[in-house]
Amino acid sequence: MAGNSSNSCISEELVYSARFQASAVVYGLVLAVGLPLNTLSLWILLRSHGLRSPCAVLMVNLAASDLLLALSLPLRVYFYATLQWPFGVATCTTAIMLFRVNIRTSCIFITLISVDRFVALVFPLRSRSLRTSACAIKCCVAVWILVTILSIPEIRNLHSALKECTYIPCFEFQVLAKGSKTIAVAQATFLLTLLVINVVSTVVVIVVLRKRPSDGAAKVNNKMNVILIFAINLLVFILFFLPFTLQLLTIKNDDSGDVIRALICLASVNCCLDPLIYYFSLDSFWQDNGKRQTDVGTYSLSRSMERS
């Protein structure tokens, strides 16, 4: 390990400061809001909508991703409140990786939701064979498998480096191994590509909606709902994912890591907003749809405008 990586193992315990206190407060608030909200959202989605539409499938997976992050937050709150870590190396590695996996999967699922709505609106008839629950389930399974496989080297590297620490600083720990810069650039490039896809989808949808006539309040309502979801998709990317992504490109061996840790705090807030954005903005969220499509905001709008 010595020749391949440098890490932030320290021989003495951390000294409590305002930054640690602020971290404990932020993670505590995110936990207090995100855990019940995502649990409730996941329960409602599974109970009322199941996996009967591609949009419902994607939302269930987004909620599950956010719930995994929320479940790891009590450990972060404890660490930053006490600056002690009695839970061992494996637990620390798991908690750190849950955050990283959440960032990656959330970005992907948010983008897939945008693409699903984009295709449903712009190509409502041609996309019917593609926009199925089975196809959405396969995509989600592929996402989880791919992200897990790509995370294995990272997990092994992190676990090995942590084992060398006498005092485990856990969430204050960072390891910069050989090739880590390449991984950071690859991850940043991937997330920026997803952002571009969201931007393009949003612009095209707005152009399409402006060109199609709107007769009646229902159609105007549907238009606004669709545009709102696309706009907030971009907002989530720009506020929570973009700063963290760009910071990955500037990390150096002698970096104290204070900035990236602050951005990790900021990025964790996305698990609180996802349920509000993607679930409560749907008119049908609280209703049992039966055989109807869950994503009526897009589906009904596209059908009605095809008739116009």
Side-chain angles (χ1 to χ4, degrees):
M1 280 288 298
N4 292 330
S5 67
S6 61
N7 61 57
S8 61
C9 278
I10 53 179
S11 57
E12 298 179 1
E13 294 187 3
L14 297 165
V15 178
Y16 205 72
S17 68
R19 181 173 70 81
F20 298 137
Q21 185 177 18
S23 297
V25 170
V26 171
Y27 287 126
L29 291 174
V30 173
L31 172 65
V33 176
L35 183 59
L37 199 55
N38 280 286
T39 302
L40 177 64
S41 298
L42 187 58
W43 179 76
I44 292 174
L45 280 167
L46 291 173
R47 179 177 178 274
S48 299
H49 304 291
L51 303 176
R52 292 189 290 264
S53 75
C55 189
V57 171
L58 295 172
M59 286 184 173
V60 164
N61 280 271
L62 179 59
S65 175
D66 289 335
L67 188 57
L68 287 175
L69 173 64
L71 289 172
S72 73
L73 291 181
L75 296 173
R76 287 184 181 266
V77 174
Y78 177 86
F79 174 78
Y80 282 110
T82 66
L83 295 185
Q84 300 294 323
W85 188 260
F87 307 113
V89 171
T91 305
C92 178
T93 303
T94 301
I96 292 174
M97 289 308 303
L98 279 176
F99 168 80
R100 297 181 184 181
V101 168
N102 169 260
I103 291 293
R104 294 158 189 169
T105 55
S106 289
C107 288
I108 296 172
F109 291 135
I110 288 172
T111 303
L112 288 176
I113 289 172
S114 291
V115 171
D116 174 71
R117 292 180 174 277
F118 164 79
V119 171
L121 180 62
V122 179
F123 309 106
L125 299 179
R126 283 178 286 178
S127 65
R128 285 185 180 179
S129 59
L130 181 64
R131 291 185 64 252
T132 63
S133 297
C135 183
I137 290 173
K138 291 176 183 177
C139 286
C140 291
V141 170
V143 168
W144 286 109
I145 292 175
L146 182 62
V147 169
T148 301
I149 292 174
L150 292 178
S151 298
I152 289 175
E154 204 172 355
I155 293 170
R156 293 178 60 185
N157 181 48
L158 182 59
H159 186 270
S160 298
L162 278 167
K163 284 174 67 177
E164 295 184 358
C165 296
T166 304
Y167 165 71
I168 302 176
C170 201
F171 303 111
E172 288 293 298
F173 178 89
Q174 68 183 56
V175 56
L176 296 171
K178 183 179 180 180
S180 61
K181 185 67 176 179
T182 302
I183 295 173
V185 170
Q187 178 168 324
T189 302
F190 177 68
L191 294 182
L192 289 173
T193 301
L194 295 181
L195 175 60
V196 169
I197 293 173
N198 278 273
V199 170
V200 172
S201 299
T202 302
V203 171
V204 173
V205 164
I206 291 174
V207 170
V208 170
L209 290 179
R210 289 187 64 182
K211 288 183 178 180
R212 292 183 179 179
S214 290
D215 299 322
K219 290 184 179 180
V220 173
N221 246 355
N222 284 334
K223 277 189 176 184
M224 293 306 298
N225 286 343
V226 173
I227 292 175
L228 176 65
I229 292 176
F230 274 94
I232 300 185
N233 276 357
L234 286 179
L235 188 64
V236 169
F237 260 90
I238 292 170
L239 285 183
F240 302 118
F241 299 147
L242 186 59
F244 173 76
T245 301
L246 295 179
Q247 183 62 22
L248 288 176
L249 301 176
T250 64
I251 293 179
K252 299 178 181 178
N253 287 355
D254 57 351
D255 195 337
S256 67
D258 289 347
V259 174
I260 194 70
R261 291 182 186 112
L263 294 177
I264 287 172
C265 259
L266 177 64
S268 68
V269 178
N270 87 87
C271 81
C272 296
L273 296 186
D274 284 345
L276 294 173
I277 295 167
Y278 302 111
Y279 312 143
F280 293 104
S281 61
L282 292 177
D283 295 334
S284 62
F285 180 67
W286 293 103
Q287 302 170 7
D288 188 349
N289 283 356
K291 295 183 180 180
R292 291 188 296 118
Q293 294 253 359
T294 302
D295 50 336
V296 293
T298 302
Y299 184 71
S300 298
L301 175 62
S302 57
R303 287 190 61 189
S304 63
M305 290 193 170
E306 282 297 310
R307 298 193 195 104
S308 300

